[in-house]
Amino acid sequence: MSTDPELLIERRGQALWLTIQREDRRNAINGAVLDALGRALADAGGDPTVRAVVLTGAGTRAFCAGADLQTGQSFRFDYSQPYQGLADLFREARRCTLPLIARVNGACMAGGMGLLAMCDLAVASRNATFGLPEVRVGLFPAQVLAVLQHQLPRRVLNELCLTGEPMDAERALAAGLVNALAEPEGLDEAVEALLARLLDKSPSAIRRGLYTLKQVENLGFEQAIAFAESQIGLFALTEDAQEGQAAFREKRAPKWTGR
Protein backbone atom coordinates (compact mmCIF):
# COMPACT_ATOMS: atom_id res chain seq x y z
CA MET A 1 0.00 0.00 0.00
CA SER A 2 1.19 3.51 -0.82
CA THR A 3 -0.45 6.56 0.74
CA ASP A 4 -0.14 9.83 -1.13
CA PRO A 5 -1.65 12.90 0.57
CA GLU A 6 -4.18 13.02 -2.26
CA LEU A 7 -4.32 9.42 -3.51
CA LEU A 8 -4.43 6.07 -1.72
CA ILE A 9 -2.77 3.32 -3.78
CA GLU A 10 -3.60 -0.23 -2.69
CA ARG A 11 -2.73 -3.59 -4.18
CA ARG A 12 -5.61 -6.03 -3.81
CA GLY A 13 -4.58 -9.30 -5.41
CA GLN A 14 -3.97 -8.69 -9.09
CA ALA A 15 -5.81 -5.35 -9.09
CA LEU A 16 -4.52 -1.90 -8.16
CA TRP A 17 -7.05 0.29 -6.36
CA LEU A 18 -6.68 4.09 -6.62
CA THR A 19 -8.77 6.13 -4.17
CA ILE A 20 -8.91 9.92 -4.32
CA GLN A 21 -8.37 11.07 -0.73
CA ARG A 22 -10.24 14.37 -0.56
CA GLU A 23 -13.49 13.37 1.07
CA ASP A 24 -13.95 16.78 2.71
CA ARG A 25 -13.87 18.38 -0.76
CA ARG A 26 -16.08 15.66 -2.30
CA ASN A 27 -12.94 14.22 -3.90
CA ALA A 28 -12.55 17.24 -6.13
CA ILE A 29 -9.62 17.31 -8.53
CA ASN A 30 -6.53 19.43 -7.99
CA GLY A 31 -3.06 19.36 -9.50
CA ALA A 32 -1.75 16.88 -6.95
CA VAL A 33 -4.57 14.44 -7.70
CA LEU A 34 -3.95 14.67 -11.44
CA ASP A 35 -0.20 14.16 -11.04
CA ALA A 36 -0.63 11.21 -8.65
CA LEU A 37 -3.20 9.50 -10.88
CA GLY A 38 -1.03 9.92 -13.96
CA ARG A 39 2.02 8.44 -12.21
CA ALA A 40 -0.01 5.56 -10.79
CA LEU A 41 -1.42 4.61 -14.20
CA ALA A 42 2.00 4.79 -15.84
CA ASP A 43 3.54 2.64 -13.10
CA ALA A 44 0.70 0.10 -13.27
CA GLY A 45 1.08 -0.18 -17.03
CA GLY A 46 4.72 -1.12 -16.59
CA ASP A 47 4.05 -3.80 -13.95
CA PRO A 48 3.18 -7.19 -15.50
CA THR A 49 1.75 -8.43 -12.19
CA VAL A 50 -1.03 -5.80 -12.26
CA ARG A 51 -4.02 -7.01 -14.27
CA ALA A 52 -6.56 -4.22 -13.70
CA VAL A 53 -6.97 -0.82 -12.06
CA VAL A 54 -9.96 0.34 -10.00
CA LEU A 55 -10.54 4.08 -9.58
CA THR A 56 -12.81 5.47 -6.85
CA GLY A 57 -13.24 8.24 -4.29
CA ALA A 58 -13.05 8.17 -0.50
CA GLY A 59 -16.26 7.92 1.50
CA THR A 60 -19.79 7.50 0.21
CA ARG A 61 -20.83 10.99 -0.87
CA ALA A 62 -18.82 11.47 -4.03
CA PHE A 63 -16.78 9.65 -6.64
CA CYS A 64 -15.41 12.99 -7.81
CA ALA A 65 -17.08 16.41 -7.87
CA GLY A 66 -14.83 17.78 -10.63
CA ALA A 67 -12.37 20.64 -10.29
CA ASP A 68 -11.96 22.16 -6.83
CA LEU A 69 -13.59 25.54 -7.40
CA GLN A 70 -12.88 26.69 -3.84
CA THR A 71 -9.22 27.30 -4.70
CA GLY A 72 -10.06 29.92 -7.32
CA GLN A 73 -7.15 28.52 -9.37
CA SER A 74 -8.77 25.56 -11.12
CA PHE A 75 -9.04 27.15 -14.55
CA ARG A 76 -6.01 29.42 -14.44
CA PHE A 77 -3.63 27.60 -16.74
CA ASP A 78 -0.14 28.46 -17.86
CA TYR A 79 -0.99 28.92 -21.51
CA SER A 80 2.68 28.87 -22.47
CA GLN A 81 2.42 25.11 -21.85
CA PRO A 82 0.59 23.27 -24.64
CA TYR A 83 -0.28 20.27 -22.44
CA GLN A 84 -2.47 20.60 -19.35
CA GLY A 85 -2.97 18.31 -16.34
CA LEU A 86 -6.42 16.83 -16.95
CA ALA A 87 -5.78 16.35 -20.65
CA ASP A 88 -2.48 14.63 -19.85
CA LEU A 89 -4.27 12.25 -17.49
CA PHE A 90 -6.73 11.39 -20.25
CA ARG A 91 -3.76 10.77 -22.56
CA GLU A 92 -2.18 8.44 -19.99
CA ALA A 93 -5.44 6.53 -19.60
CA ARG A 94 -5.72 6.26 -23.37
CA ARG A 95 -2.24 4.72 -23.54
CA CYS A 96 -3.02 2.28 -20.75
CA THR A 97 -3.65 -1.31 -21.85
CA LEU A 98 -4.91 -2.50 -18.46
CA PRO A 99 -8.68 -2.51 -17.88
CA LEU A 100 -9.62 0.62 -15.92
CA ILE A 101 -12.73 0.21 -13.78
CA ALA A 102 -14.59 3.15 -12.25
CA ARG A 103 -16.16 2.39 -8.86
CA VAL A 104 -18.70 5.22 -8.70
CA ASN A 105 -19.61 5.54 -5.02
CA GLY A 106 -21.55 8.81 -5.12
CA ALA A 107 -21.79 12.08 -7.02
CA CYS A 108 -19.89 12.04 -10.32
CA MET A 109 -19.79 15.57 -11.68
CA ALA A 110 -17.90 17.70 -14.22
CA GLY A 111 -14.29 16.50 -14.31
CA GLY A 112 -15.42 13.43 -12.39
CA MET A 113 -17.39 12.49 -15.50
CA GLY A 114 -14.09 12.67 -17.35
CA LEU A 115 -12.48 10.26 -14.88
CA LEU A 116 -15.46 7.93 -15.33
CA ALA A 117 -15.34 8.18 -19.11
CA MET A 118 -11.59 7.52 -19.34
CA CYS A 119 -12.25 4.15 -17.67
CA ASP A 120 -13.14 1.09 -19.73
CA LEU A 121 -15.83 -0.26 -17.39
CA ALA A 122 -17.89 1.18 -14.57
CA VAL A 123 -19.93 -0.05 -11.61
CA ALA A 124 -22.03 2.53 -9.75
CA SER A 125 -23.92 2.76 -6.51
CA ARG A 126 -27.66 3.11 -6.98
CA ASN A 127 -27.49 6.41 -5.11
CA ALA A 128 -24.87 7.85 -7.47
CA THR A 129 -25.68 10.91 -9.57
CA PHE A 130 -24.05 12.07 -12.79
CA GLY A 131 -23.81 15.50 -14.34
CA LEU A 132 -21.98 18.21 -16.25
CA PRO A 133 -22.87 21.37 -14.29
CA GLU A 134 -20.18 23.62 -15.80
CA VAL A 135 -22.69 25.95 -17.50
CA ARG A 136 -23.96 26.87 -14.03
CA VAL A 137 -20.62 28.60 -13.33
CA GLY A 138 -20.04 30.02 -16.81
CA LEU A 139 -17.85 27.18 -18.08
CA PHE A 140 -18.24 24.16 -20.36
CA PRO A 141 -16.99 20.53 -20.09
CA ALA A 142 -14.70 20.94 -23.08
CA GLN A 143 -11.90 18.54 -22.12
CA VAL A 144 -14.36 15.99 -20.76
CA LEU A 145 -16.07 15.79 -24.15
CA ALA A 146 -12.93 14.22 -25.63
CA VAL A 147 -13.44 11.08 -23.54
CA LEU A 148 -17.21 11.22 -22.97
CA GLN A 149 -18.69 11.99 -26.39
CA HIS A 150 -18.66 8.41 -27.69
CA GLN A 151 -20.15 6.94 -24.51
CA LEU A 152 -23.55 8.65 -24.55
CA PRO A 153 -26.30 9.17 -27.11
CA ARG A 154 -25.93 12.66 -28.57
CA ARG A 155 -29.26 13.96 -27.25
CA VAL A 156 -28.39 12.83 -23.72
CA LEU A 157 -24.94 14.39 -23.96
CA ASN A 158 -26.40 17.65 -25.27
CA GLU A 159 -28.92 17.76 -22.42
CA LEU A 160 -26.27 17.21 -19.76
CA CYS A 161 -23.95 19.83 -21.24
CA LEU A 162 -26.53 22.52 -22.00
CA THR A 163 -28.81 22.30 -18.96
CA GLY A 164 -26.20 21.41 -16.35
CA GLU A 165 -28.80 19.20 -14.69
CA PRO A 166 -27.83 15.79 -13.26
CA MET A 167 -29.23 12.35 -13.98
CA ASP A 168 -29.69 9.46 -11.60
CA ALA A 169 -27.99 6.07 -11.69
CA GLU A 170 -30.86 4.27 -13.39
CA ARG A 171 -30.79 6.67 -16.30
CA ALA A 172 -26.99 6.44 -16.46
CA LEU A 173 -27.30 2.67 -16.77
CA ALA A 174 -29.97 2.96 -19.45
CA ALA A 175 -27.80 5.42 -21.38
CA GLY A 176 -24.82 3.06 -21.30
CA LEU A 177 -22.66 5.28 -19.10
CA VAL A 178 -22.12 2.48 -16.56
CA ASN A 179 -22.13 -1.30 -16.85
CA ALA A 180 -23.91 -2.20 -13.64
CA LEU A 181 -25.53 -0.81 -10.51
CA ALA A 182 -25.25 -2.07 -6.94
CA GLU A 183 -26.66 -1.17 -3.58
CA PRO A 184 -24.19 1.07 -1.70
CA GLU A 185 -23.31 -1.67 0.76
CA GLY A 186 -22.72 -4.14 -2.10
CA LEU A 187 -20.59 -1.91 -4.33
CA ASP A 188 -17.25 -3.52 -3.51
CA GLU A 189 -18.73 -6.97 -4.03
CA ALA A 190 -20.01 -5.92 -7.46
CA VAL A 191 -16.60 -4.53 -8.43
CA GLU A 192 -14.89 -7.72 -7.26
CA ALA A 193 -17.36 -9.79 -9.28
CA LEU A 194 -16.51 -7.79 -12.39
CA LEU A 195 -12.78 -8.17 -11.69
CA ALA A 196 -13.23 -11.93 -11.38
CA ARG A 197 -14.73 -12.00 -14.86
CA LEU A 198 -11.59 -10.28 -16.20
CA LEU A 199 -8.81 -11.90 -14.21
CA ASP A 200 -9.45 -15.45 -15.41
CA LYS A 201 -8.95 -14.37 -19.02
CA SER A 202 -5.72 -14.09 -21.03
CA PRO A 203 -3.64 -11.10 -19.89
CA SER A 204 -2.02 -10.73 -23.30
CA ALA A 205 -5.34 -10.91 -25.16
CA ILE A 206 -6.81 -8.22 -22.91
CA ARG A 207 -3.75 -6.01 -23.20
CA ARG A 208 -3.54 -6.23 -26.98
CA GLY A 209 -7.32 -6.19 -27.21
CA LEU A 210 -7.60 -2.87 -25.37
CA TYR A 211 -4.90 -1.47 -27.63
CA THR A 212 -6.90 -2.57 -30.67
CA LEU A 213 -10.21 -1.26 -29.33
CA LYS A 214 -8.73 2.16 -28.70
CA GLN A 215 -6.97 2.34 -32.07
CA VAL A 216 -10.02 1.49 -34.18
CA GLU A 217 -12.51 3.66 -32.28
CA ASN A 218 -12.21 6.68 -34.54
CA LEU A 219 -11.16 4.99 -37.78
CA GLY A 220 -13.32 4.61 -40.85
CA PHE A 221 -14.20 1.09 -41.96
CA GLU A 222 -11.35 0.60 -44.44
CA GLN A 223 -8.75 1.92 -41.99
CA ALA A 224 -10.22 -0.11 -39.13
CA ILE A 225 -10.35 -3.38 -41.05
CA ALA A 226 -6.81 -2.89 -42.37
CA PHE A 227 -5.53 -2.26 -38.85
CA ALA A 228 -7.44 -5.31 -37.57
CA GLU A 229 -5.91 -7.47 -40.31
CA SER A 230 -2.46 -6.54 -39.04
CA GLN A 231 -3.38 -7.26 -35.43
CA ILE A 232 -5.07 -10.66 -35.61
CA GLY A 233 -1.86 -12.37 -36.66
CA LEU A 234 -0.05 -10.83 -33.69
CA PHE A 235 -2.69 -12.12 -31.29
CA ALA A 236 -2.16 -15.62 -32.69
CA LEU A 237 1.61 -15.47 -32.09
CA THR A 238 1.32 -15.01 -28.32
CA GLU A 239 1.97 -17.80 -25.81
CA ASP A 240 -1.49 -17.18 -24.37
CA ALA A 241 -3.10 -17.83 -27.76
CA GLN A 242 -1.27 -21.12 -28.12
CA GLU A 243 -2.14 -22.13 -24.55
CA GLY A 244 -5.78 -21.06 -24.84
CA GLN A 245 -6.36 -23.09 -27.98
CA ALA A 246 -4.56 -26.12 -26.52
CA ALA A 247 -6.64 -25.89 -23.35
CA PHE A 248 -9.82 -25.71 -25.44
CA ARG A 249 -8.86 -28.85 -27.37
CA GLU A 250 -7.84 -30.68 -24.19
CA LYS A 251 -10.94 -29.56 -22.26
CA ARG A 252 -9.00 -28.03 -19.35
CA ALA A 253 -8.52 -24.61 -17.79
CA PRO A 254 -5.77 -22.56 -19.48
CA LYS A 255 -2.59 -21.60 -17.64
CA TRP A 256 -1.87 -18.07 -18.82
CA THR A 257 1.65 -16.66 -18.94
CA GLY A 258 0.59 -13.21 -20.07
CA ARG A 259 3.01 -13.39 -22.99
Side-chain angles (χ1 to χ4, degrees):
M1 180 188 298
S2 174
T3 304
D4 184 281
E6 309 288 352
L7 186 72
L8 176 65
I9 303 173
E10 296 177 280
R11 185 66 182 267
R12 302 189 191 179
Q14 294 177 291
L16 192 70
W17 285 59
L18 307 178
T19 304
I20 301 172
Q21 294 280 92
R22 306 192 74 221
E23 188 175 358
D24 60 326
R25 301 293 315 132
R26 300 178 77 228
N27 299 316
I29 299 169
N30 61 13
V33 168
L34 295 177
D35 290 345
L37 283 172
R39 288 193 304 269
L41 289 184
D43 290 346
D47 185 344
T49 68
V50 176
R51 295 284 313 281
V53 176
V54 177
L55 174 60
T56 192
T60 59
R61 294 175 57 225
F63 170 72
C64 175
D68 190 347
L69 299 182
Q70 293 298 326
T71 66
Q73 303 296 317
S74 296
F75 297 95
R76 295 184 180 179
F77 305 120
D78 177 358
Y79 287 106
S80 69
Q81 299 297 322
Y83 298 107
Q84 302 296 333
L86 183 60
D88 273 345
L89 177 59
F90 293 161
R91 291 183 180 101
E92 190 63 54
R94 187 75 174 183
R95 285 191 293 267
C96 186
T97 53
L98 294 170
L100 306 182
I101 301 172
R103 173 189 176 275
V104 186
N105 51 306
C108 178
M109 299 290 161
M113 289 281 277
L115 300 187
L116 165 63
M118 79 180 191
C119 293
D120 305 295
L121 300 163
V123 179
S125 168
R126 290 190 181 277
N127 64 7
T129 54
F130 303 81
L132 297 169
E134 285 87 342
V135 291
R136 294 172 177 263
V137 294
L139 296 167
F140 201 77
Q143 293 180 97
V144 172
L145 288 177
V147 289
L148 184 61
Q149 63 174 333
H150 297 301
Q151 296 190 8
L152 285 172
R154 194 69 187 187
R155 299 294 189 193
V156 176
L157 179 64
N158 289 350
E159 180 183 344
L160 290 172
C161 289
L162 299 176
T163 69
E165 296 171 359
M167 64 182 179
D168 63 18
E170 291 290 346
R171 189 177 180 201
L173 178 66
L177 187 59
V178 299
N179 296 90
L181 301 181
E183 298 301 329
E185 63 274 12
L187 186 56
D188 279 353
E189 183 179 353
V191 172
E192 292 290 353
L194 178 56
L195 281 169
R197 293 167 57 200
L198 299 173
L199 298 180
D200 66 341
K201 306 306 189 301
S202 160
S204 65
I206 287 178
R207 187 166 54 247
R208 290 207 64 90
L210 272 172
Y211 170 76
T212 302
L213 281 166
K214 291 176 180 181
Q215 292 297 316
V216 303
E217 182 179 2
N218 294 311
L219 298 179
F221 171 76
E222 287 297 340
Q223 292 172 304
I225 199 66
F227 181 81
E229 284 176 315
S230 72
Q231 292 300 302
I232 190 60
L234 297 178
F235 278 96
L237 291 174
T238 64
E239 291 180 11
D240 276 3
Q242 300 303 312
E243 167 63 10
Q245 292 170 81
F248 176 81
R249 291 191 297 270
E250 296 163 14
K251 297 181 172 57
R252 60 173 175 83
K255 298 177 181 178
W256 307 120
T257 66
R259 296 191 294 272

